[in-house]
Amino acid sequence: MAKILVVAEHLDGKLNAATAKTVAAAQALSPEAIDVVVLAADPAGVAAEAAQIASVGKVLTIANAANAHAVAQVQAPQVAALAKNYTHVFGPSTTFGKDLMPCVAALLGVNQVSDLMAVEGAHTFKRPIYAGNAIITVEAPADQIVVATVRTASWPEAAKGGSAAIEAASVDAALPAHTRYVGLAAGKSDRPDLQSAKRVVSGGRGVGSEENFKIVYSLADKLGAAVGASRAAVDAGYVPNELQVGQTGKIIAPELYVAVGISGAIQHLTGIKDAGTIVAINKDGDAPIFEIADIGLVGDLFAILPELEAAL
């Protein structure tokens, strides 16, 4: 029977929703046990949140001042040491997971399964390739630990209501001195996080300028939504690159996605195809975005968005 270790993602003492989605993928294996590990300087608060996720048996905490910041090269030896008691180690396919999990796989001497989107068996999984245009089935060796990143856009959040035991874990791992945390440069926003937001409003090249992007921010504020952008809008300098949605940006699956002035290049569509409801607003009725949109509105976004705001 499978025994799965899920690496928790957290920031500022709060558990990221990606962790519950990773647990949902673990549940699909019908394992003997699902444990969550929290690495932090003070893991108590995050561990209490993780303990509430349904089907989690234990929450293991590794308290270490070196874990105050998520540095993959520091955390990977600790996860790898703990992983030897498990058949599978899962992490979210977010920036955090994409940084950490390959290091864990390398330390364990196994190949990583990336972007796990469906479970066929204990060692058989499906993942997207070619910008999501094809799905392949991959089989991991049965005699090795499976290290995988979970495509969070393909999984719902596992339910709450659990009451897992919280245990302090000790690992015998030498932490590297060649990699250390120096500082973090990050944009600050009062809006919801793009990767976990239930509603997202994105703007594209059709918005026209950085100044014009205010109309997108305004609609997002009315909806309580996060703001995203196409690569064309980022490349044109309308918005910073952390807002980019798509194959080379963030893969998201909000309940509502509003695409404003976005034509719908395949790289962008890859990032939103798992969204619940897709609304497209574009003056070009032949834009590819309308092929996948649930609701399409052909017209001038500078006339339509103020009307939408007034109605809201």
Side-chain angles (χ1 to χ4, degrees):
M1 287 289 286
K3 191 176 180 186
I4 303 175
L5 178 68
V6 172
V7 183
E9 178 176 356
H10 56 91
L11 183 65
D12 297 331
K14 298 290 184 183
L15 190 70
N16 191 297
T19 304
K21 293 184 176 186
T22 305
V23 170
Q27 290 172 347
L29 276 77
S30 301
E32 175 189 341
I34 300 174
D35 295 346
V36 174
V37 59
V38 178
L39 297 97
D42 179 10
V46 176
E49 283 189 73
Q52 296 174 22
I53 302 174
S55 77
V56 172
K58 284 189 299 187
V59 177
L60 304 173
T61 61
I62 301 180
N64 191 322
N67 294 330
H69 304 284
V71 178
Q73 286 71 23
V74 172
Q75 294 190 346
Q78 301 171 75
V79 175
L82 203 60
K84 293 171 183 176
N85 300 317
Y86 295 86
T87 59
H88 298 66
V89 185
F90 284 0
S93 191
T94 56
T95 304
F96 164 80
K98 288 176 180 178
D99 192 28
L100 174 64
M101 301 309 287
C103 297
V104 174
L107 290 170
L108 293 173
V110 300
N111 294 320
Q112 175 183 291
V113 178
S114 300
D115 279 342
L116 185 158
M117 64 182 299
V119 171
E120 300 282 297
H123 294 84
T124 309
F125 313 98
K126 287 190 174 182
R127 67 175 297 266
I129 59 170
Y130 301 132
N133 285 313
I135 308 299
I136 62 168
T137 301
V138 294
E139 188 166 343
D143 59 347
Q144 295 180 354
I145 296 173
V146 177
V147 176
T149 58
V150 172
R151 190 177 192 273
T152 52
S154 299
W155 299 90
E157 289 182 37
K160 292 189 176 181
S163 56
I166 299 174
E167 297 180 8
S170 61
V171 292
D172 182 16
L175 304 187
H178 61 73
T179 305
R180 65 190 186 279
Y181 176 83
V182 174
L184 175 65
K188 293 186 177 180
S189 174
D190 294 330
R191 296 183 178 87
D193 174 66
L194 180 57
Q195 282 198 294
S196 58
K198 303 295 186 187
R199 294 178 290 277
V200 174
V201 179
S202 281
R205 192 197 305 274
V207 177
S209 69
E210 181 180 1
E211 179 70 20
N212 289 346
F213 228 86
K214 290 178 181 176
I215 198 169
V216 176
Y217 286 119
S218 183
L219 178 61
D221 289 341
K222 281 282 186 182
L223 290 169
V227 173
S230 68
R231 178 169 181 170
V234 171
D235 287 348
Y238 301 167
V239 291
N241 62 0
E242 61 260 28
L243 299 189
Q244 185 175 321
V245 173
Q247 182 185 2
T248 52
K250 292 181 170 69
I251 308 292
I252 59 174
E255 294 173 1
L256 172 66
Y257 185 78
V258 182
V260 179
I262 294 175
S263 61
I266 185 62
Q267 290 87 351
H268 188 79
L269 301 186
T270 296
I272 64 167
K273 68 185 186 67
D274 291 311
T277 299
I278 299 174
V279 178
I281 301 171
N282 201 299
K283 66 180 180 182
D284 179 7
D286 295 322
I289 190 75
F290 288 119
E291 294 177 12
I292 67 158
D294 299 287
I295 301 169
L297 193 52
V298 179
D300 181 359
L301 65 92
F302 298 105
I304 293 170
L305 263 59
E307 288 181 33
L308 276 175
E309 272 199 61
L312 288 166

